[in-house]
Amino acid sequence: MSKLPDVNGGGSVLSRVMRNQILIPLAALFLLAIFNLIADPSFFAITLKENNMGNPVLSGQLISIIDNGSELAILAIGMTLVTASSKGQDISVGAAVAISGSVILRVLCGTDNSPETLQAPIIVAFLVAAVASMLFGAFNGVLVAYFRIQPMVATLILFTAGRSIAAWINNNQLPIAPGEEFKVFGGFIPGIPIPTPFLIAILCFIVTWAMLKFTNIGLYSQSVGINEKTARLNGLNPELIKLATYVILGLCVAVTGLIKVSRISTINYSVIAKDIEMDTILAVALGGNSLSGGKFNMAASILGAYVIQFLTTTLYKFKVPSTALPAYKAVVVIVLVVLSAPVVREKLSRLMKKIRSSKNTAENHA
Amino acid sequence: MKLKRILSGVISAFLCIGMVAGCSGNDNSKSSTTKKAEAAPAASSGKTIKVGIINNDPNESGYRTANDNDLKAAFSKENGYEPTFAYGKTNDEQIAAAQKMIQDEVDYLLLSAADTAGWDTVLKDAQKAGIKVILFDRTIDADASLYEASIVSDMAKEGQTAVDWLVAQGLSEYNIIHIQGQMGTAAQKGRSGALDTTAKEKGWNIVSQQTAEWNAEKAQQIVQAAIDSGTKFNVIYAENDDMAKGAVAALDKANISHGVGKDVIVMGFDCNKWALTELLNKNWNYDGQCNPFQSSYIKDIITKLENGQKIEPKTIIMDEKGFDAATITQEDVDKYGI
């Protein structure tokens, strides 16, 4: 979000780009794209087809990526803020998504497990889920901000209990939402060929951009993350700011829950959004953000989320055998994370400088 | 600071209480919904039988929920039992629960183990205390002398039934997308094994074989990736209903027809009620049962043991069906749907 002050007074465009952390996810994206281009250019083909409802839909691997990566990107927004302000991560988002999805289905289906029609307007269901998710977010936030429990430990409570709470909300039943109307959020709006999850994500990005631009939440959460005491001396209320970031993450969770349950019109408490917290944290790390709080770059986090989905889709596309899948993913992740580590980046930029200065001296001598 | 620390202590105590209360509330609401089962068999002998039941997390799947409800209905106070239920996602939790039940001197220990290894010590303790152990749903790596009986689903047989059905369809060519469950689980191994063997024998073409870890959405992505890369396929063999549902969502998106007499054959497992309804509507072709109703088998064994009989052989394999969309009826849906 913040442009780094130009310490060297000028400097080439290249060095300025090198210092920008969005370079890391961009480079990763570029590498993956090149790899796919060489292996099979049809990866980038996008076609306009009709789905079984007779609506025009775009399809292709790239569309799958922006479609399926959207939930992760939305969660990455909240996780970036939480990381910045509280110097830790919320590991309960997967379980919280299960709760939010369960609440939505509970409101939509009422007491019947598979009703003929929706029992409540979708917007009401979403609002109830949003309130519930923000309350759970606030719960985490209070533990972290006011009781000063380590974020990972504080959110461990919900991580452990969340899926059971989700099941309990629906009396352990698996409700199925009827009709095509609800499927829109995880599918396509009739007449619009772009996947709805991506549209929702774009909306979230715009709101986030506006929030960071017109309010001080970005600046405040960074300053709390960098030095809480100084922030307090400057008249900020660190506890309240931390709490606010957790509540915002709660809202992101509610949106994700809506998309997730809409995709399949039902829920499976134990597998919905499974391990998504790890991918979300990875997205933040891939964006080159320090996981110990402070400065952040929101765009880089979001891009990081899509890079992860790009990787997943690539692995599916190449039909990597099930048993080997985690190994492939691990190797790529290790490379990306090591490259994005501040220490390595510093070394690299120093190396670049050395090369340049030696070139300069050579030129001067000539 | 001190005040804060005390306050945080109090809050966490409340949390724990809240969680426990939440769980027990859950139990109450469930047992009130369970059906009143048949007349008490044990009550006739005039004493209540203490059973300790160790199961996996009931939220794990629809299968487990049905299984848990079935056991709760069968081993109720009205039926002359004094049941204790314990749930654990890991062996450690389950073993701790088993030790407690042994101390409480239950008559029977019913066990569905989270993991196959590490049960020897605790089962020996049970034997010393004169507690009879009955395994259900899952087997363990322990000497057969340590338990009285083991009631299991034969996953390999489930897979074989499904594959035999697929053979009988007599397609001119088989291009199969195989969506696997969580790798290494008994269900995945059994169901994958049957397909792998037959595919090799018959020269079937498995165009994609990947794990969706029981997750509908991942299955959707796998099938989507196959469609997007122009892969030809005419069978989807998904190892549970959720994943079949995800696969079908991808087919719908690409306007590929599926079901009876259509382009793609859809196969699932577990017999969820909604899945059987899909069969009834001819949107899917086949669903294999994984029988969660073990209580009648267990009761049978307890009655025999009470009468001093020995259970031979110790491993009892349950009857499991496979449903074909062409022959399924509403009655089947009501009876076998979970």
Side-chain angles (χ1 to χ4, degrees):
Chain A
M1 285 300 101
S2 53
K3 284 203 188 82
L4 289 174
D6 220 333
V7 196
N8 299 345
S12 68
V13 180
L14 185 73
S15 73
R16 219 177 307 160
V17 172
M18 270 304 287
R19 261 180 282 130
N20 195 336
Q21 63 185 77
I22 203 165
L23 182 77
I24 300 142
L26 268 180
L29 200 61
F30 184 69
L31 282 179
L32 279 168
I34 291 285
F35 172 75
N36 274 302
L37 198 62
I38 293 167
D40 182 7
S42 75
F43 188 90
F44 297 94
I46 295 176
T47 50
L48 190 65
K49 287 187 196 163
E50 271 191 1
N51 68 0
N52 65 331
M53 303 297 291
N55 294 320
V57 298
L58 286 172
S59 81
Q61 308 283 13
L62 285 183
I63 301 296
S64 297
I65 292 167
I66 59 168
D67 182 357
N68 293 308
S70 292
E71 289 108 307
L72 203 54
I74 293 168
L75 287 176
I77 295 171
M79 190 65 86
T80 306
L81 288 174
V82 160
T83 302
S85 73
S86 71
K87 305 178 189 173
Q89 288 74 38
D90 182 345
I91 58 167
S92 71
V93 287
V97 167
I99 295 176
S100 140
S102 190
V103 168
I104 289 176
L105 286 178
R106 176 78 197 187
V107 177
L108 285 181
C109 296
T111 47
D112 193 354
N113 278 331
S114 47
E116 297 290 314
T117 52
L118 294 179
Q119 304 293 305
I122 295 168
I123 182 74
V124 173
F126 172 69
L127 287 177
V128 174
V131 170
S133 297
M134 282 157 87
L135 280 177
F136 278 110
F139 169 77
N140 282 336
V142 166
L143 289 183
V144 171
Y146 293 95
F147 294 99
R148 301 186 181 276
I149 302 172
Q150 286 241 338
M152 209 167 271
V153 179
T155 53
L156 191 63
I157 298 170
L158 205 55
F159 172 81
T160 320
R163 290 179 191 276
S164 298
I165 295 173
W168 170 72
I169 289 171
N170 272 308
N171 274 332
N172 237 334
Q173 307 295 320
L174 304 171
I176 297 175
E180 295 299 320
E181 195 189 345
F182 183 59
K183 286 191 185 156
V184 161
F185 299 93
F188 293 86
I189 299 169
I192 297 177
I194 299 163
T196 321
F198 186 59
L199 297 177
I200 296 175
I202 294 280
L203 188 71
C204 291
F205 302 156
I206 293 171
V207 170
T208 310
W209 174 82
M211 183 179 75
L212 292 172
K213 177 101 181 159
F214 298 113
T215 74
N216 291 326
I217 184 83
L219 178 67
Y220 286 179
S221 52
Q222 294 188 56
S223 46
V224 168
I226 290 166
N227 191 330
E228 211 177 312
K229 283 206 179 99
T230 321
R232 192 191 299 279
L233 288 174
N234 281 296
L236 299 182
N237 182 346
E239 282 86 15
L240 197 65
I241 289 161
K242 280 187 199 171
L243 180 62
T245 57
Y246 277 85
V247 173
I248 292 171
L249 178 58
L251 189 58
C252 297
V253 161
V255 177
T256 310
L258 175 70
I259 298 173
K260 285 266 183 217
V261 290
S262 169
R263 279 189 197 279
I264 52 169
S265 296
T266 181
I267 192 168
N268 184 328
Y269 306 109
S270 61
V271 299
I272 185 177
K274 193 161 178 253
D275 297 338
I276 205 170
E277 51 275 346
M278 295 306 151
D279 278 349
T280 313
I281 295 168
L282 186 61
V284 176
L286 263 183
N289 297 301
S290 160
L291 289 185
S292 46
K295 275 193 146 34
F296 67 84
N297 184 330
M298 187 62 82
S301 286
I302 291 169
L303 203 57
Y306 284 111
V307 168
I308 293 171
Q309 186 59 42
F310 204 121
L311 174 62
T312 311
T313 305
T314 304
L315 291 175
Y316 282 145
K317 151 89 176 56
F318 285 99
K319 304 193 173 72
V320 175
S322 309
T323 37
L325 194 76
Y328 276 83
K329 216 170 173 176
V331 168
V332 179
V333 165
I334 289 169
V335 170
L336 291 179
V337 170
V338 166
L339 279 181
S340 67
V343 184
V344 177
R345 276 168 58 212
E346 206 171 294
K347 283 250 163 71
L348 278 180
S349 70
R350 216 177 286 163
L351 197 70
M352 286 290 288
K353 222 185 254 171
K354 221 181 230 169
I355 292 170
R356 226 186 7 257
S357 67
S358 65
K359 209 166 69 185
N360 283 348
T361 41
E363 273 167 10
N364 289 346
H365 280 285
Chain B
M1 269 331 269
K2 208 169 192 182
L3 186 76
K4 248 178 201 164
R5 215 171 285 163
I6 293 168
L7 217 72
S8 74
V10 170
I11 293 264
S12 46
F14 265 114
L15 269 173
C16 294
I17 293 165
M19 273 157 72
V20 171
C23 294
S24 61
N26 191 2
D27 287 350
N28 289 341
S29 67
K30 239 182 297 157
S31 54
S32 64
T33 56
T34 49
K35 309 170 276 237
K36 294 276 170 286
E38 64 270 39
S44 55
S45 63
K47 66 162 193 163
T48 56
I49 299 176
K50 268 176 104 171
V51 288
I53 300 168
I54 299 175
N55 208 337
N56 294 283
D57 180 17
N59 306 330
E60 178 186 270
S61 59
Y63 170 86
R64 190 62 59 193
T65 312
N67 177 246
D68 184 45
N69 287 343
D70 178 50
L71 291 171
K72 279 207 175 105
F75 296 101
S76 61
K77 283 223 168 71
E78 294 84 9
N79 289 349
Y81 294 95
E82 195 185 323
T84 322
F85 288 91
Y87 305 96
K89 283 181 187 167
T90 63
N91 254 13
D92 298 346
E93 289 169 15
Q94 289 191 332
I95 287 173
Q99 277 159 346
K100 191 172 171 300
M101 285 175 182
I102 292 169
Q103 279 168 14
D104 291 347
E105 296 179 330
V106 294
D107 298 317
Y108 292 91
L109 191 64
L110 313 184
L111 172 68
S112 172
D115 204 346
T116 51
W119 284 96
D120 297 78
T121 324
V122 70
L123 291 192
K124 272 179 194 146
D125 288 349
Q127 204 166 38
K128 264 183 229 152
I131 295 166
K132 299 197 170 82
V133 178
I134 300 171
L135 307 179
F136 65 94
D137 181 38
R138 296 186 183 181
T139 52
I140 54 171
D141 293 333
D143 194 72
S145 64
L146 290 173
Y147 54 86
E148 301 299 325
S150 164
I151 301 152
V152 288
S153 296
D154 188 343
M155 302 291 183
K157 201 172 124 199
E158 282 173 21
Q160 200 54 51
T161 314
V163 173
D164 288 346
W165 176 88
L166 191 55
V167 172
Q169 300 308 301
L171 304 180
S172 55
E173 56 172 344
Y174 285 85
N175 295 311
I176 304 166
I177 292 186
H178 179 191
I179 303 169
Q180 297 171 295
Q182 182 85 45
M183 299 303 283
T185 54
Q188 180 272 323
K189 280 198 243 171
R191 293 167 191 176
S192 293
L195 182 64
D196 280 344
T197 325
T198 312
K200 213 173 265 171
E201 271 172 24
K202 304 262 176 193
W204 291 353
N205 187 14
I206 296 185
V207 295
S208 177
Q209 181 173 50
Q210 289 182 303
T211 177
E213 295 162 348
W214 308 128
N215 191 329
E217 244 187 289
K218 281 192 182 156
Q220 188 181 356
Q221 290 191 34
I222 289 169
V223 177
Q224 187 73 50
I227 295 170
D228 288 343
S229 51
T231 312
K232 251 181 62 187
F233 59 92
N234 60 354
V235 177
I236 286 179
Y237 182 93
E239 288 176 3
N240 80 353
D241 286 339
D242 279 355
M243 298 193 294
K245 186 176 180 127
V248 165
L251 295 180
D252 283 342
K253 207 190 239 178
N255 204 12
I256 297 172
S257 69
H258 52 85
V260 180
K262 301 282 175 57
D263 291 345
V264 176
I265 287 179
V266 178
M267 300 173 73
F269 285 93
D270 286 355
C271 287
N272 285 291
K273 214 162 238 157
W274 53 263
L276 292 181
T277 313
E278 294 282 357
L279 250 67
L280 203 59
N281 296 336
K282 312 233 178 289
N283 291 328
W284 294 14
N285 301 68
Y286 176 90
D287 205 24
Q289 195 191 15
C290 189
N291 193 348
F293 306 118
Q294 289 135 357
S295 69
S296 59
Y297 291 86
I298 300 175
K299 272 186 175 174
D300 198 37
I301 287 168
I302 291 183
T303 321
K304 276 187 185 161
L305 289 173
E306 288 291 297
N307 295 337
Q309 284 172 292
K310 269 259 170 239
I311 309 294
E312 269 318 322
K314 282 194 172 178
T315 304
I316 297 157
I317 293 169
M318 290 186 294
D319 287 335
E320 290 178 327
K321 295 169 181 297
F323 293 100
D324 184 336
T327 55
I328 193 169
T329 60
Q330 182 65 44
E331 249 170 65
D332 290 333
V333 178
D334 295 335
K335 186 169 176 202
Y336 296 103
I338 59 174

